[in-house]
Amino acid sequence: MGDFDNKEREEVFSKKVRAGKRTYFFDVKATRSGDYYLTLTESKKRLEDGVFVKHKIFLYKEDFEKFTEGLTETVEYIKSHQDVVEKRYEYSENPEYTHTPKTESDDFSF
């Protein structure tokens, strides 16, 4: 098939979100035919050995609408059945992560 098959697909766009002990990566990549798809990666450092554990989901554009509907419905269910305490985190080398308390001006809506 070729050398390209053994390499990561071309990265078009990337967004990194640090949230407490986890980091999320939203990466837009392109297939050989130029179609975009999204990879969602969760990365978390294991305390016992310092190794980063990653979980990855591939989301293709034909599934965006259904995925978004399902995510929105699920988030709305949680919000309507439980108080959601949002935190804004700051990165720290210290294992005890610090956070900045939520203010009235913060907007966490989807």
Side-chain angles (χ1 to χ4, degrees):
M1 285 254 164
D3 196 25
F4 185 75
D5 291 329
N6 295 327
K7 296 181 182 177
E8 284 286 319
R9 299 290 186 207
E10 178 188 354
E11 190 170 289
V12 177
F13 174 84
S14 185
K15 174 71 177 169
K16 180 179 181 178
V17 177
R18 288 190 173 143
K21 297 178 182 179
R22 293 178 177 84
T23 302
Y24 299 97
F25 298 90
F26 299 84
D27 299 313
V28 177
K29 297 186 179 185
T31 64
R32 275 187 263 172
S33 62
D35 285 333
Y36 290 168
Y37 64 97
L38 172 66
T39 62
L40 306 172
T41 306
E42 174 205 40
S43 179
K44 183 177 179 183
K45 190 175 187 178
R46 282 194 308 225
L47 295 177
E48 59 270 10
D49 58 8
V51 171
F52 285 93
V53 178
K54 295 181 180 182
H55 299 96
K56 191 173 282 202
I57 296 173
F58 292 82
L59 185 61
Y60 298 93
K61 63 185 179 183
E62 60 267 18
D63 300 328
F64 287 174
E65 188 173 332
K66 292 291 186 183
F67 183 88
T68 302
E69 287 172 8
L71 178 61
T72 300
E73 184 178 335
T74 304
V75 169
E76 289 304 317
Y77 176 87
I78 293 170
K79 286 180 174 182
S80 68
H81 288 83
Q82 260 186 0
D83 289 337
V84 178
V85 179
E86 300 285 352
K87 295 181 181 179
R88 298 195 90 185
Y89 295 95
E90 295 175 6
Y91 179 74
S92 171
E93 291 297 325
N94 185 341
E96 294 298 318
Y97 291 86
T98 60
H99 71 276
T100 304
K102 181 179 175 182
T103 66
E104 288 183 28
S105 64
D106 291 339
D107 179 14
F108 293 101
S109 60
F110 283 89

